[in-house]
């Protein structure tokens, strides 16, 4: 049993997908080449003390290795495979002529070669029936002393070649038909699964939107009412300084809770999984936030049309918002920056978001607990984000990478 990792090592990334139309054939070629190469390196050893020289078998093994690495690096296997096939016929014919011609046991290797051809591909196998017959004929006519017994051997080998070729072709046809049926069933199941996922996604989207709407109607309106009532109470108690501080705290806490609830509501919304929507939200926050401190703020995004269908994991945007709000706040409090740049780029497997400032980087004091940075790191670990902070004399760069997936529904 060949390890699956070894087979996939010689496959291109595209070919490793089991749904690829050529996966089965290429996998067969790789596994066959691995086995054949190993046998060609080991089995000729007992014949090393007998003629003819075994260099031809090692040349075939070398071509098998070339086939594997040609497939791995270039995704091409037909040229080296055909060259290995022709070399095999040359070696077998040479070996047969030097060890007894048509009566040599080496003739039987033609049947093994025929089986290998049908194993790789039925079309190759049909061609090899003809090549085997030609090879047998060449072996027969290369010996001028051929007699009636030799003629009988030739006819027998030709008949057996046609018989085994027909048998191999029938077996391989049945195998291909069964494999095609399995592939069709896989596609049917995948279609059914896609439909189920689409329906469930639509249900979750509706549920998330309803949840956001209900939360806003209940909690959001209640927080707004508390803020307004506290403001009225502040006017009525303006002469009681001891009470005003408590009212101010109520207003501040209510405003902070309302702002946090807005972040939560936005993350619950279905569009929050879209990296572009998330970046627009962070950009809007950054523009409003840094405008208070007279800090220049700009945003850049890199995305192409093929990546527009990228989506973050559910609710990942909520944690990304908290991480970057904390980072933006730290820049305003500690960096003394004059300019801040927010950037985003979407790649095949992840989205990268970074915050760059031109302020002064200060190494965190290990004796002081830094809850903000620890919270950012904890959120990153819990959500499989990759968070890095780069500090220098020219400023600080915080970079976050979050996994994405691409969902396409027709």
């Amino acid at each position: 049993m060949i390890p699956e990792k070894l087979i996939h090592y010689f496959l291109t990334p595209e070919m490793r997908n089991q749904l690829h139309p050529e996966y089965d054939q290429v996998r067969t070629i790789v596994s066959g080449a691995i086995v054949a190469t190993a046998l060609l390196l080991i089995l000729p050893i007992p014949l090393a003390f007998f003629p003819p020289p075994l260099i031809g078998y090692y040349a075939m093994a070398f071509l098998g290795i070339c086939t594997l690495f040609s497939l791995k690096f270039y995704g091409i296997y037909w040229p080296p495979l055909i060259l290995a096939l022709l070399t095999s016929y040359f070696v077998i014919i040479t070996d047969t002529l030097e060890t007894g011609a048509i009566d040599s046991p080496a003739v039987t290797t033609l049947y093994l070669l025929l089986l290998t051809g049908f194993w790789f591909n039925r079309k190759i196998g049909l061609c090899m029936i003809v090549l085997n017959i030609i090879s047998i004929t060449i072996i027969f006519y290369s010996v001028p002393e051929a007699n009636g017994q030799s003629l009988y051997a030739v006819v027998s080998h030709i008949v057996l070649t046609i018989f085994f070729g027909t048998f191999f072709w029938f077996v391989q046809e049945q195998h291909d038909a069964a494999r095609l049926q399995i592939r069709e069933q896989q596609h049917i199941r995948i279609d059914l699964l896609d439909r189920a996922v689409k329906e469930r996604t639509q249900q979750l989207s509706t549920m998330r939107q309803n949840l956001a709407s209900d939360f806003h109607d209940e909690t959001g309106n209640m927080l707004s009412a508390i803020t307004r009532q506290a403001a009225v109470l502040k006017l009525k108690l303006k002469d009681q300084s001891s009470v005003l501080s408590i009212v101010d705290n109520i207003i501040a806490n209510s405003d902070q809770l309302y702002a946090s609830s807005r972040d939560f509501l936005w993350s619950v919304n279905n569009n929050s999984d879209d990296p572009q929507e998330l970046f627009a939200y962070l950009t809007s926050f950054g523009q409003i936030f840094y405008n208070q401190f007279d800090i220049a703020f700009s945003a850049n995004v890199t995305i192409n049309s093929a990546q527009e269908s990228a989506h973050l994991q559910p609710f990942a945007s909520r944690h990304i918002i908290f991480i970057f709000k904390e980072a933006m706040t730290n820049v305003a409090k500690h960096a003394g920056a004059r300019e801040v740049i927010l950037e985003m780029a979407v790649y095949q497997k992840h989205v990268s978001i970074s915050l760059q400032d031109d302020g002064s980087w200060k190494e965190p004091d290990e004796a002081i607990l830094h809850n903000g940075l620890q919270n950012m790191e904890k959120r990153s670990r819990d959500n499989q984000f990759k968070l890095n902070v780069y500090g220098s004399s020219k400023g600080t760069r915080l970079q976050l990478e979050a996994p994405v997936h691409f969902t396409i529904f027709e």
Side-chain angles (χ1 to χ4, degrees):
M1 186 65 180
I2 303 176
E4 199 70 19
K5 290 184 178 180
L6 179 60
I7 294 177
H8 281 191
Y9 175 79
F10 292 105
L11 297 179
T12 59
E14 296 79 11
M15 288 291 183
R16 291 171 189 168
N17 181 5
Q18 296 186 7
L19 298 179
H20 193 282
E22 297 185 12
Y23 173 78
D24 293 326
Q25 176 175 308
V26 175
R27 189 184 186 282
T28 300
I29 291 175
V30 170
S31 58
I34 292 174
V35 173
T37 301
L39 293 177
L40 286 169
L41 291 173
I42 297 173
L43 295 184
I45 294 177
L47 304 176
F49 300 100
F50 301 91
L54 302 179
I55 186 65
Y57 291 95
Y58 291 109
M60 291 162 55
F62 174 74
L63 289 174
I65 296 174
C66 291
T67 301
L68 291 173
F69 283 99
S70 175
L71 180 59
K72 174 178 175 59
F73 294 112
Y74 305 106
I76 301 173
Y77 56 90
W78 284 117
L81 190 62
I82 292 175
L83 182 59
L85 176 64
L86 297 177
T87 304
S88 300
Y89 275 107
F90 177 79
V91 172
I92 292 173
I93 292 174
T94 303
D95 189 6
T96 303
L97 291 175
E98 295 183 6
T99 56
I102 198 66
D103 298 322
S104 171
V107 177
T108 57
T109 56
L110 290 173
Y111 301 118
L112 178 60
L113 193 61
L114 180 64
L115 173 61
T116 305
F118 274 102
W119 187 25
F120 284 160
N121 185 281
R122 276 191 301 159
K123 293 181 180 179
I124 293 179
L126 291 174
C127 294
M128 291 178 65
I129 293 177
V130 178
L131 291 175
N132 272 25
I133 295 174
I134 293 174
S135 300
I136 293 170
T137 305
I138 291 174
I139 293 171
F140 175 73
Y141 283 106
S142 297
V143 181
E145 297 84 7
N147 51 31
Q149 186 177 358
S150 299
L151 181 61
Y152 173 79
V154 169
V155 174
S156 298
H157 283 304
I158 292 176
V159 171
L160 288 174
T161 296
I162 296 174
F163 171 79
F164 282 118
T166 304
F167 177 76
F168 294 153
W169 180 87
F170 176 77
V171 172
Q172 191 66 21
E173 183 184 36
Q174 296 299 312
H175 180 265
D176 289 344
R179 187 164 54 188
L180 180 61
Q181 185 177 7
I182 294 174
R183 181 62 59 87
E184 290 177 350
Q185 292 176 352
Q186 287 178 339
H187 284 296
I188 291 174
R189 291 182 180 180
I190 290 173
D191 290 339
L192 292 175
L193 181 60
D194 285 342
R195 293 179 185 177
V197 171
K198 181 179 179 181
E199 292 176 359
R200 182 57 58 89
T201 301
Q202 292 175 344
Q203 293 174 358
L204 290 175
S205 175
T206 302
M207 183 183 69
R208 290 170 65 175
Q209 291 176 354
N210 291 337
L211 177 63
S213 177
D214 294 343
F215 188 91
H216 178 270
D217 293 341
E218 295 293 333
T219 307
N221 292 336
M222 187 176 295
L223 289 173
S224 298
I226 292 174
T227 302
R228 290 195 300 271
Q229 292 170 2
V232 173
L233 184 62
K234 181 178 180 179
L235 291 175
K236 292 184 177 181
L237 300 175
K238 60 182 179 179
D239 296 331
Q240 302 182 27
S241 58
S242 59
V243 181
L244 286 180
S245 59
I246 300 176
V247 176
D248 288 336
N249 287 334
I250 294 175
I251 295 175
N253 292 334
S254 178
D255 290 340
Q256 184 177 358
L257 182 59
Y258 182 72
S260 299
S261 67
R262 288 180 59 191
D263 294 339
F264 172 76
L265 290 174
W266 186 87
S267 66
V268 169
N269 188 280
N270 184 49
N271 291 335
S272 64
D273 295 341
D274 186 347
Q276 296 184 77
E277 293 289 338
L278 170 63
F279 188 74
Y281 188 88
L282 291 174
T283 300
S284 176
F285 174 82
Q287 290 172 341
I288 296 173
F289 179 75
Y290 286 119
N291 195 38
Q292 307 174 69
F293 304 98
D294 195 24
I295 297 176
F297 176 79
S298 60
N300 300 314
V301 60
T302 302
I303 186 171
N304 57 43
S305 58
Q307 298 163 337
E308 290 181 353
S309 59
H311 284 79
L312 295 161
Q313 300 298 328
F315 304 108
S317 58
R318 176 170 174 264
H319 299 281
I320 296 176
I321 287 173
F322 287 148
I323 289 174
F324 277 91
K325 279 192 172 183
E326 179 69 29
M328 291 179 180
T329 303
N330 288 342
V331 171
K333 286 183 177 180
H334 308 296
R338 295 183 178 181
E339 182 180 7
V340 177
I341 302 174
L342 180 68
E343 296 179 314
M344 183 185 77
V346 179
Y347 301 98
Q348 186 176 2
K349 295 183 179 180
H350 70 275
V351 57
S352 175
I353 306 176
S354 62
L355 188 72
Q356 174 80 44
D357 68 73
D358 62 350
S360 57
W361 165 258
K362 298 179 181 178
E363 290 292 340
D365 188 349
E366 297 182 357
I368 301 176
L369 185 63
H370 299 275
N371 289 325
L373 184 58
Q374 289 186 351
N375 289 338
M376 288 190 288
E377 292 175 346
K378 183 178 184 302
R379 288 184 186 275
S380 299
R381 288 194 304 270
D382 293 344
N383 293 274
Q384 288 77 52
F385 300 156
K386 183 179 179 181
L387 181 68
N388 290 306
V389 179
Y390 307 96
S392 68
S393 59
K394 297 181 180 179
T396 304
R397 179 181 180 85
L398 181 142
Q399 183 169 340
L400 181 143
E401 295 181 1
V404 295
H405 63 277
F406 293 84
T407 304
I408 301 176
F409 292 123
E410 296 181 356

